[in-house]
Amino acid sequence: MEAPKLQSYTEERRKKQGQFRGASKGVSLTLLIAIVAGLIAKLPFFQIMGMMILSILIGMIWKNTVQVKQDYQQGIQFSSKVLLRAGIILLGFRLNLLDIAAAGYAVLAADVLVIAFTMLFILLLGKVFKLDKQLSMLIAAGTAICGAAAIIAVAPIIKNKQEHTAIAVSCIAILGTIGALLYIFLFPYLPVSKYEYGVLTGATLHELAHVVAAAVPGGEESSQAAIVVKLGRVLLLIPVALVISLIVNRKELAEKGLKSLPVPWFIFGFLFASFINTLHFLPDSIVSYCLLLSTYLLAMGMAGLGLNVNYKDFAKEGIKPAAVAVAGFAGLLALSPLILWIFRAI
């Protein structure tokens, strides 16, 4: 009797060890992709795209050109879910709430306008183009708030398909890169001050990396304004995510009460990190380390998303997601005169 039990125990242990090794290899693969993306991101043109965007693109290329072993999947899923959310929490250390408050009501008014208009406009475009509602919501959040981080935060709330997350992130990544290049090219010809140029980049571009890169031609004044306005949008991710959860899950809420409401709890971790940073509880060196770790965790998560996407998923959706993203960005750019008016009037 003892021998069969011992044999069963041994087999079970070997199985678990095999699963652990496979999961470790999956996580290691996402780390490798993140490191490669980080090296590429140091090159002149690719600085605009940033490490996170490059990670998801490399992950997609890897998935569709190199065979990914099945036992890697557990580790890849761990990166695309757990590590990605941990990265968003640590991203909160980039926020200093006092800097945003010091910028005045103009920043809050402009950011609220940008998010409300862009979300509603893109959701309307989604209906016109007959695009999947969940995918429309992800593109709207990514365009209106803070790119990939917003998409990741909203995705579990609306219970979307994982391939939709990757499609939305890819659309936003490419479009934001084009937008940043367009801003840099147009800067000498725009009838605005350096400060106002920074305001526009912070209010209309998708990723923080896009904003930082596009604001460079305007110098320190432009860069500071751009980052403050952009971080104001990032801060609004928290209430927007909660509002989306209430709207999307209102039927379940009416039937089962508040307990049924999907709440992205990691968003509160993001807010807690921003409070710690605002109150200067931690030395600057530790905050810098947390931000570096956040970048790598987010990049690993993005790589995990990319490693789960087949090109046929893009072919299935066709050109609609890109068309909605482009039209939504164009609508946001058309809002620029009103954004500038707010800053001049308040």
Side-chain angles (χ1 to χ4, degrees):
M1 291 294 290
E2 294 297 326
K5 286 183 179 180
L6 180 61
Q7 184 178 1
S8 175
Y9 171 78
T10 304
E11 289 177 357
E12 184 67 24
R13 186 176 179 182
R14 286 176 180 172
K15 183 179 178 181
K16 288 182 178 179
Q17 287 176 340
Q19 290 175 341
F20 178 78
R21 282 195 296 269
S24 299
K25 289 177 181 177
V27 172
S28 298
L29 176 58
T30 62
L31 176 59
L32 173 63
I33 291 173
I35 291 171
V36 171
L39 293 172
I40 295 174
K42 293 179 181 178
L43 301 175
F45 172 77
F46 295 102
Q47 285 178 342
I48 298 174
M49 297 183 73
M51 186 174 168
M52 288 190 295
I53 302 308
L54 288 168
S55 292
I56 193 171
L57 295 177
I58 294 171
M60 288 167 58
I61 293 169
W62 189 296
K63 167 70 175 179
N64 290 274
T65 56
V66 181
Q67 185 67 34
V68 179
K69 294 182 180 179
Q70 185 61 37
D71 60 345
Y72 283 30
Q73 285 302 317
Q74 187 176 349
I76 291 171
Q77 291 294 332
F78 180 79
S79 290
S80 64
K81 292 181 179 178
V82 178
L83 296 186
L84 201 57
R85 293 173 186 182
I88 290 180
I89 290 173
L90 292 178
L91 188 64
F93 284 105
R94 193 177 293 277
L95 273 179
N96 187 314
L97 303 178
L98 293 179
D99 288 343
I100 298 172
Y105 294 111
V107 169
L108 180 61
D111 287 339
V112 169
L113 172 67
V114 164
I115 291 173
F117 169 81
T118 308
M119 291 288 294
L120 293 173
F121 184 54
I122 291 181
L123 290 176
L124 177 61
L125 287 171
K127 288 186 177 181
V128 172
F129 283 87
K130 296 180 180 178
L131 184 65
D132 181 273
K133 289 181 180 179
Q134 294 176 330
L135 185 50
S136 296
M137 183 70 76
L138 294 179
I139 292 173
T143 305
I145 310 171
C146 52
I151 292 170
I152 296 158
V154 170
I157 297 172
I158 62 175
K159 302 170 186 174
N160 74 301
K161 299 176 183 177
Q162 193 168 43
E163 57 265 29
H164 282 173
T165 303
I167 291 170
V169 168
S170 300
C171 286
I172 295 304
I174 295 168
L175 190 56
T177 302
I178 294 171
L181 291 171
L182 183 66
Y183 266 96
I184 292 169
F185 174 76
L186 291 176
F187 170 68
Y189 310 102
L190 294 174
V192 294
S193 67
K194 291 181 179 180
Y195 174 80
E196 289 173 337
Y197 173 74
V199 167
L200 288 179
T201 57
T204 57
L205 288 178
H206 306 69
E207 296 281 350
L208 185 59
H210 297 148
V211 171
V212 171
V216 167
E220 182 64 26
E221 184 180 5
S222 173
S223 296
Q224 186 63 31
I227 291 171
V228 169
V229 174
K230 179 61 177 177
L231 291 181
R233 290 166 69 192
V234 175
L235 179 61
L236 289 172
L237 170 61
I238 300 164
V240 171
L242 294 175
V243 169
I244 289 173
S245 186
L246 285 169
I247 294 172
V248 172
N249 301 284
R250 59 186 180 277
K251 289 184 179 178
E252 282 187 47
L253 185 62
E255 293 173 2
K256 302 177 183 178
L258 284 172
K259 291 182 179 180
S260 66
L261 190 66
V263 177
W265 295 109
F266 60 93
I267 289 295
F268 293 100
F270 168 88
L271 181 61
F272 180 68
S274 69
F275 273 122
I276 291 176
N277 186 50
T278 301
L279 298 173
H280 297 290
F281 279 152
L282 298 177
D284 291 343
S285 58
I286 294 179
V287 171
S288 297
Y289 174 77
C290 288
L291 289 175
L292 178 63
L293 182 59
S294 169
T295 300
Y296 273 91
L297 291 176
L298 287 169
M300 290 172 69
M302 290 294 178
L305 285 176
L307 288 166
N308 278 301
V309 175
N310 290 309
Y311 287 144
K312 63 182 181 181
D313 295 327
F314 282 82
K316 190 190 302 181
E317 296 295 339
I319 199 173
K320 290 180 182 179
V324 168
V326 170
F329 184 42
L332 178 54
L333 291 178
L335 204 64
S336 295
L338 185 53
I339 294 170
L340 290 178
W341 179 83
I342 290 174
F343 276 85
R344 290 166 183 169
I346 296 179

